[in-house]
Amino acid sequence: MNNVSNMNNLSSKSSKSSKSHPEQPTVVIVPGLRDHVPDHWQTHLAHELPRSRTVPPLERDRLSRAAQVAALHRELMDTPGPVLLVAHSAGVLTTVHWARQHRARVVGALLAAPPDFDAELPDGYPSRKELREHGWSPVPRERLPFPSIVAASRNDPLASYDRASSLAAYWGSRLVDLGPVGHLNPASGYGRWPRAMDLLSELGAMQRAFT
């Protein structure tokens, strides 16, 4: 059975094991601070999934953590039924900041390549001071109220593997070692990322055990 079929089967399995989330989850994709990128793995994933929505990039105030959290919250309020979040880069931090302030029908989250916004980033990225002024730091350390997987790179220029491992522990997430995949973006060779489907299927199993 292929991975899309596994995602389609989430609804029937979840119905039998939990009355709280009888509907098939919608995947809500949470990008980072980038523009729309046609060859990003999140874009491919959105096209491949039978039920998905994407938080649109902001036209203004893109560096504002409050504006990014508000955009995610609007998308979730417009999405009926249970939701699985798929976040990448700054979208991971948008997700964990959102979880401090709101509750919705989120039943799990795949958190890929979280950046370390408490540290100085490489040239070409916002400074630590800018990120702090725009509300991104300190990065939340509270346990997330839903099952989650942190998928971390061994050579991410935006966060060391040890830092990603620490964040996963704070958030109560299962840590998945992706090996040397850079920042898991087209500049690092991704493109399509088939493993996302496998991790989503695993997240569905975690959600059933959680409920």
Side-chain angles (χ1 to χ4, degrees):
M1 183 180 297
N2 63 34
N3 289 325
V4 174
S5 296
N6 285 340
M7 287 301 298
N8 284 331
N9 285 339
L10 263 176
S11 65
S12 60
K13 292 178 181 177
S14 183
S15 308
K16 295 175 183 177
S17 61
S18 171
K19 295 181 180 179
S20 300
H21 306 296
E23 302 173 62
Q24 180 181 354
T26 297
V27 171
V28 172
I29 292 173
V30 191
L33 302 179
R34 59 180 172 83
D35 288 317
H36 174 75
V37 179
D39 197 35
H40 197 283
W41 64 266
Q42 286 182 307
T43 307
H44 290 295
L45 187 67
H47 292 156
E48 293 164 3
L49 290 171
R51 293 169 63 93
S52 71
R53 301 171 66 118
T54 299
V55 179
L58 295 179
E59 296 291 329
R60 59 181 183 178
D61 296 328
R62 186 171 297 183
L63 195 55
S64 166
R65 185 266 305 163
Q68 294 288 349
V69 169
L72 171 57
H73 191 61
R74 284 194 299 271
E75 198 67 35
L76 291 174
M77 292 301 96
D78 287 342
T79 304
V83 169
L84 288 172
L85 297 175
V86 176
H88 174 255
S89 190
V92 173
L93 303 187
T94 297
T95 297
V96 296
H97 277 286
W98 173 87
R100 296 178 83 181
Q101 303 173 36
H102 302 288
R103 292 291 180 268
R105 299 165 305 279
V106 174
V107 296
L110 172 58
L111 309 172
D116 184 2
F117 278 4
D118 287 335
E120 202 64 55
L121 300 179
D123 290 344
Y125 290 92
S127 70
R128 183 179 181 181
K129 180 175 182 290
E130 287 177 298
L131 292 168
R132 184 172 60 251
E133 289 173 347
H134 284 83
W136 291 100
S137 63
V139 173
R141 298 187 177 190
E142 293 88 350
R143 187 179 184 89
L144 293 171
F146 41 75
S148 57
I149 293 172
V150 167
S153 170
R154 284 281 178 177
N155 62 342
D156 191 336
L158 302 190
S160 70
Y161 183 80
D162 286 346
R163 175 59 170 165
S165 177
S166 295
L167 292 174
Y170 293 139
W171 301 334
S173 306
R174 189 173 97 73
L175 178 67
V176 172
D177 183 349
L178 298 180
V181 297
H183 193 51
L184 196 64
N185 57 5
S188 304
Y190 302 84
R192 292 184 183 275
W193 184 42
R195 194 171 180 186
M197 281 293 196
D198 297 327
L199 293 175
L200 274 177
S201 294
E202 182 179 333
L203 194 59
M206 290 171 62
Q207 178 258 322
R208 293 192 294 275
F210 190 82
T211 56

